[in-house]
Amino acid sequence: MEQPFFDNARAMWRLFNGEPPSTTYFLDASFYKKMMDAFQIGEYYFFIFNFSTIEFDYISAEVYNILGYRDNEVTARQILEAIHPDDREHFLRFEQDYGKFIATLPREKINKYKLRYDFRIRHKNGKYRRILHQTMIIDHDDRDFLHSICVHTDITFLKKHNIPQFAIVGYDGEPSYYFKDFYPVKRCDSVFELSEREQEVLECLLLGKSSREIAELFFVSQHTVNTHRKHILAKTGCRNIQELMTKHQRLE
């Protein structure tokens, strides 16, 4: 029997913290909200995540505007279980790889990186919205991650395709890393009998580029790129780019 998604996520986060916390993390919520109001590109809510309890120490009231839940009734389990089934594999992979990356850093640099990616999440009314998820470790000791601050911004109106975008963004002079740095595109031409140009288009698709962007890159028409897309999907036996990305990851 397949293990529930929340239990998989909880087991993963347990790798980064093994003991119950001695205190709850307190913050000046109004201070954080003023800062985020100035930079967010859409409606958002934010929360403090506790790695030991796998629960929220705090979640802002704006979660109601985006997901339809009151802040005093929503739990971490509800949020996780509301993630679209097709996006859960990426969620677990990105969270795990971010944790592994942060664990390699000197402790003084942990707070200088944030994780950023997107996924679809179900509103209380049953409809899905696309969320830009951004998180940063804000509390840790010499061994464990204790708390992170996470911001969920509604970007449904900005992004329509289902290709996940991933980045680890560095601050104070630290380097940033993107999807291609963590997940280099494996050549699939010998596996699926792709032509050289189809392999090139595949690499661009897996990096999140649109047909228009690929057409401009190769100086061809968008119609030509769309034809390559159809051939790639047919040869790989995939119905869409999301399924193609999942199959590609399993080849690694």
Side-chain angles (χ1 to χ4, degrees):
M1 184 175 180
E2 185 177 357
Q3 190 174 14
F5 176 60
F6 177 78
D7 292 340
N8 285 330
R10 179 170 54 191
M12 173 191 62
W13 284 318
R14 286 291 187 209
L15 297 175
F16 307 118
N17 185 298
E19 296 183 359
S22 56
T23 60
T24 297
Y25 188 85
F26 294 98
L27 80 161
D28 182 350
S30 61
F31 171 75
Y32 278 94
K33 189 174 188 309
K34 285 179 181 178
M35 289 183 60
M36 287 185 278
D37 281 345
F39 295 101
Q40 291 303 309
I41 55 177
E43 284 193 292
Y44 73 93
Y45 64 92
F46 70 98
F47 55 87
I48 300 298
F49 181 75
N50 187 315
F51 280 93
S52 293
T53 63
I54 315 298
E55 194 49 84
F56 304 136
D57 280 356
Y58 171 87
I59 186 167
S60 66
E62 288 78 14
V63 66
Y64 179 79
N65 300 333
I66 297 178
L67 298 182
Y69 294 100
R70 299 293 180 185
D71 58 292
N72 60 358
E73 68 176 355
V74 69
T75 65
R77 178 183 287 273
Q78 283 178 295
I79 295 292
L80 285 175
E81 295 294 353
I83 294 176
H84 194 289
D86 290 345
D87 295 346
R88 293 178 178 184
E89 183 175 342
H90 301 304
F91 175 92
L92 291 174
R93 186 177 190 186
F94 293 160
E95 288 288 322
Q96 185 175 47
D97 288 347
Y98 173 64
K100 290 179 179 178
F101 170 80
I102 291 295
T104 66
L105 298 175
R107 307 311 276 182
E108 67 272 12
K109 290 190 176 184
I110 287 178
N111 304 108
K112 295 184 178 182
Y113 285 92
K114 77 170 181 180
L115 172 65
R116 184 182 69 202
Y117 61 93
D118 61 275
F119 54 82
R120 290 165 291 176
I121 191 167
R122 188 177 62 252
H123 188 280
K124 193 175 183 179
N125 64 15
K127 296 182 179 180
Y128 281 94
R129 294 191 175 187
R130 182 166 294 280
I131 294 296
L132 177 63
H133 171 84
Q134 300 181 86
T135 184
M136 175 184 290
I137 304 296
I138 57 173
D139 185 25
H140 61 85
D141 58 22
D142 291 338
R143 187 185 65 178
D144 294 327
F145 301 159
L146 302 178
H147 298 91
S148 63
I149 185 168
C150 304
V151 184
H152 282 181
T153 306
D154 186 353
I155 60 168
T156 307
F157 67 101
L158 286 177
K159 183 180 176 184
K160 300 302 181 183
H161 66 75
N162 293 326
I163 302 173
Q165 305 294 303
F166 168 91
I168 293 178
V169 182
Y171 295 97
D172 294 336
E174 299 300 323
S176 296
Y177 303 91
Y178 300 94
F179 189 94
K180 62 183 177 61
D181 299 312
F182 271 74
Y183 313 108
V185 178
K186 180 181 179 67
R187 291 195 64 86
C188 300
D189 43 3
S190 60
V191 178
F192 296 118
E193 298 183 352
L194 302 181
S195 69
E196 185 66 27
R197 178 47 59 89
E198 287 168 348
Q199 172 66 31
E200 293 171 344
V201 171
L202 170 62
E203 293 178 6
C204 292
L205 291 172
L206 295 178
L207 292 175
K209 294 187 180 297
S210 66
S211 292
R212 179 182 58 79
E213 291 172 324
I214 298 172
E216 293 175 354
L217 180 65
F218 294 131
F219 301 101
V220 297
S221 70
Q222 192 167 325
H223 173 75
T224 298
V225 174
N226 288 335
T227 299
H228 286 312
R229 288 176 64 136
K230 291 178 182 178
H231 291 166
I232 291 169
L233 292 176
K235 289 181 178 181
T236 57
C238 297
R239 293 167 296 178
N240 51 51
I241 300 301
Q242 181 80 8
E243 186 176 331
L244 176 62
M245 175 169 281
T246 299
K247 178 173 286 190
H248 174 269
Q249 290 175 347
R250 288 172 179 166
L251 289 174
E252 296 178 352

